[in-house]
mmCIF file of all heavy atoms in Angstrom:
data_model
loop_
_atom_site.group_PDB
_atom_site.id
_atom_site.type_symbol
_atom_site.label_atom_id
_atom_site.label_comp_id
_atom_site.label_asym_id
_atom_site.label_seq_id
_atom_site.Cartn_x
_atom_site.Cartn_y
_atom_site.Cartn_z
ATOM 1 N N ASN A 1067 69.629 27.645 77.448
ATOM 2 C CA ASN A 1067 69.935 26.223 77.601
ATOM 3 C C ASN A 1067 71.426 26.009 77.832
ATOM 4 O O ASN A 1067 71.829 25.189 78.657
ATOM 5 C CB ASN A 1067 69.492 25.443 76.358
ATOM 6 C CG ASN A 1067 67.982 25.235 76.334
ATOM 7 O OD1 ASN A 1067 67.305 25.456 77.335
ATOM 8 N ND2 ASN A 1067 67.471 24.827 75.179
ATOM 9 N N ALA A 1071 73.278 24.478 81.013
ATOM 10 C CA ALA A 1071 74.124 23.292 80.864
ATOM 11 C C ALA A 1071 75.496 23.506 81.503
ATOM 12 O O ALA A 1071 76.357 22.642 81.431
ATOM 13 C CB ALA A 1071 74.271 22.938 79.378
ATOM 14 N N ASP A 1092 78.292 25.418 72.810
ATOM 15 C CA ASP A 1092 78.700 25.578 74.205
ATOM 16 C C ASP A 1092 79.573 24.414 74.633
ATOM 17 O O ASP A 1092 79.619 23.378 73.977
ATOM 18 C CB ASP A 1092 77.464 25.706 75.109
ATOM 19 C CG ASP A 1092 76.649 24.430 75.210
ATOM 20 O OD1 ASP A 1092 77.194 23.400 75.657
ATOM 21 O OD2 ASP A 1092 75.438 24.448 74.841
ATOM 22 N N ALA A 1105 64.892 15.607 73.896
ATOM 23 C CA ALA A 1105 64.915 17.053 74.129
ATOM 24 C C ALA A 1105 64.011 17.808 73.162
ATOM 25 O O ALA A 1105 63.511 18.880 73.487
ATOM 26 C CB ALA A 1105 66.343 17.571 74.024
ATOM 27 N N ALA A 1110 59.431 18.311 76.995
ATOM 28 C CA ALA A 1110 60.554 17.512 77.461
ATOM 29 C C ALA A 1110 61.520 18.459 78.150
ATOM 30 O O ALA A 1110 61.985 19.414 77.553
ATOM 31 C CB ALA A 1110 61.247 16.840 76.277
ATOM 32 N N THR A 1111 61.767 18.189 79.391
ATOM 33 C CA THR A 1111 62.704 19.037 80.113
ATOM 34 C C THR A 1111 63.353 18.225 81.213
ATOM 35 O O THR A 1111 62.747 17.310 81.771
ATOM 36 C CB THR A 1111 62.007 20.269 80.728
ATOM 37 O OG1 THR A 1111 62.966 20.987 81.497
ATOM 38 C CG2 THR A 1111 60.827 19.890 81.618
ATOM 39 N N SER A 1112 64.598 18.540 81.466
ATOM 40 C CA SER A 1112 65.274 17.889 82.579
ATOM 41 C C SER A 1112 65.180 18.750 83.829
ATOM 42 O O SER A 1112 65.773 18.462 84.837
ATOM 43 C CB SER A 1112 66.744 17.672 82.212
ATOM 44 O OG SER A 1112 67.328 18.916 81.862
ATOM 45 N N LYS A 1113 64.423 19.860 83.713
ATOM 46 C CA LYS A 1113 64.514 20.869 84.767
ATOM 47 C C LYS A 1113 63.300 20.967 85.668
ATOM 48 O O LYS A 1113 63.288 21.729 86.600
ATOM 49 C CB LYS A 1113 64.765 22.226 84.112
ATOM 50 C CG LYS A 1113 66.028 22.197 83.274
ATOM 51 C CD LYS A 1113 66.132 23.376 82.349
ATOM 52 C CE LYS A 1113 67.264 23.126 81.353
ATOM 53 N NZ LYS A 1113 67.296 24.143 80.308
ATOM 54 N N GLY A 1127 65.535 27.743 81.856
ATOM 55 C CA GLY A 1127 64.481 27.101 81.071
ATOM 56 C C GLY A 1127 63.600 26.290 81.996
ATOM 57 O O GLY A 1127 64.034 25.832 83.025
ATOM 58 N N PHE A 1128 62.346 26.143 81.653
ATOM 59 C CA PHE A 1128 61.526 25.301 82.521
ATOM 60 C C PHE A 1128 60.287 24.787 81.833
ATOM 61 O O PHE A 1128 59.572 23.967 82.362
ATOM 62 C CB PHE A 1128 61.132 26.043 83.793
ATOM 63 C CG PHE A 1128 60.463 27.359 83.530
ATOM 64 C CD1 PHE A 1128 59.110 27.420 83.299
ATOM 65 C CD2 PHE A 1128 61.217 28.524 83.492
ATOM 66 C CE1 PHE A 1128 58.503 28.644 83.055
ATOM 67 C CE2 PHE A 1128 60.608 29.738 83.265
ATOM 68 C CZ PHE A 1128 59.250 29.806 83.038
ATOM 69 N N ARG A 1129 60.033 25.275 80.643
ATOM 70 C CA ARG A 1129 58.788 24.838 80.023
ATOM 71 C C ARG A 1129 58.973 23.577 79.200
ATOM 72 O O ARG A 1129 58.023 22.919 78.863
ATOM 73 C CB ARG A 1129 58.265 25.919 79.092
ATOM 74 C CG ARG A 1129 57.840 27.133 79.838
ATOM 75 C CD ARG A 1129 57.499 28.221 78.869
ATOM 76 N NE ARG A 1129 56.601 29.155 79.535
ATOM 77 C CZ ARG A 1129 55.314 29.250 79.298
ATOM 78 N NH1 ARG A 1129 54.757 28.489 78.378
ATOM 79 N NH2 ARG A 1129 54.575 30.089 79.949
ATOM 80 N N GLY A 1130 60.227 23.322 78.860
ATOM 81 C CA GLY A 1130 60.484 22.157 78.055
ATOM 82 C C GLY A 1130 59.851 22.242 76.695
ATOM 83 O O GLY A 1130 59.501 21.236 76.084
ATOM 84 N N ALA A 1132 60.992 24.888 74.308
ATOM 85 C CA ALA A 1132 61.751 25.734 73.396
ATOM 86 C C ALA A 1132 62.304 24.942 72.217
ATOM 87 O O ALA A 1132 62.083 25.306 71.056
ATOM 88 C CB ALA A 1132 62.872 26.443 74.148
ATOM 89 N N LEU A 1133 62.995 23.850 72.522
ATOM 90 C CA LEU A 1133 63.596 23.095 71.417
ATOM 91 C C LEU A 1133 62.524 22.560 70.480
ATOM 92 O O LEU A 1133 62.668 22.605 69.255
ATOM 93 C CB LEU A 1133 64.478 21.960 71.954
ATOM 94 C CG LEU A 1133 65.813 22.395 72.567
ATOM 95 C CD1 LEU A 1133 66.650 21.171 72.916
ATOM 96 C CD2 LEU A 1133 66.589 23.304 71.621
ATOM 97 N N THR A 1176 77.571 21.101 73.423
ATOM 98 C CA THR A 1176 76.467 21.042 72.464
ATOM 99 C C THR A 1176 76.610 22.128 71.412
ATOM 100 O O THR A 1176 76.954 23.271 71.733
ATOM 101 C CB THR A 1176 75.121 21.235 73.200
ATOM 102 O OG1 THR A 1176 75.004 20.237 74.209
ATOM 103 C CG2 THR A 1176 73.941 21.141 72.254
HETATM 104 P P1 ADP B 1376 63.799 23.588 78.946
HETATM 105 O O1 ADP B 1376 65.025 24.405 78.776
HETATM 106 O O2 ADP B 1376 62.629 24.379 79.333
HETATM 107 O O3 ADP B 1376 64.022 22.379 79.791
HETATM 108 P P2 ADP B 1376 64.190 23.115 76.182
HETATM 109 O O4 ADP B 1376 63.257 22.677 75.114
HETATM 110 O O5 ADP B 1376 64.850 24.417 76.011
HETATM 111 O O6 ADP B 1376 63.397 23.060 77.521
HETATM 112 O O7 ADP B 1376 65.273 22.007 76.383
HETATM 113 C C1 ADP B 1376 64.875 20.676 76.661
HETATM 114 C C2 ADP B 1376 65.968 19.899 77.386
HETATM 115 O O8 ADP B 1376 67.070 19.679 76.499
HETATM 116 C C3 ADP B 1376 66.575 20.625 78.545
HETATM 117 O O9 ADP B 1376 65.828 20.420 79.723
HETATM 118 C C4 ADP B 1376 67.958 20.006 78.641
HETATM 119 O O10 ADP B 1376 67.926 18.824 79.377
HETATM 120 C C5 ADP B 1376 68.281 19.675 77.214
HETATM 121 N N1 ADP B 1376 69.160 20.686 76.591
HETATM 122 C C6 ADP B 1376 68.788 21.667 75.754
HETATM 123 N N2 ADP B 1376 69.845 22.410 75.351
HETATM 124 C C7 ADP B 1376 70.932 21.884 75.964
HETATM 125 C C8 ADP B 1376 72.350 22.190 75.946
HETATM 126 N N3 ADP B 1376 72.824 23.223 75.246
HETATM 127 N N4 ADP B 1376 73.167 21.407 76.683
HETATM 128 C C9 ADP B 1376 72.676 20.384 77.409
HETATM 129 N N5 ADP B 1376 71.369 20.039 77.468
HETATM 130 C C10 ADP B 1376 70.496 20.754 76.747
#
Side-chain angles (χ1 to χ4, degrees):
N1067 284 347
D1092 68 60
T1111 176
S1112 56
K1113 302 166 192 172
F1128 54 85
R1129 293 173 157 254
L1133 287 186
T1176 303

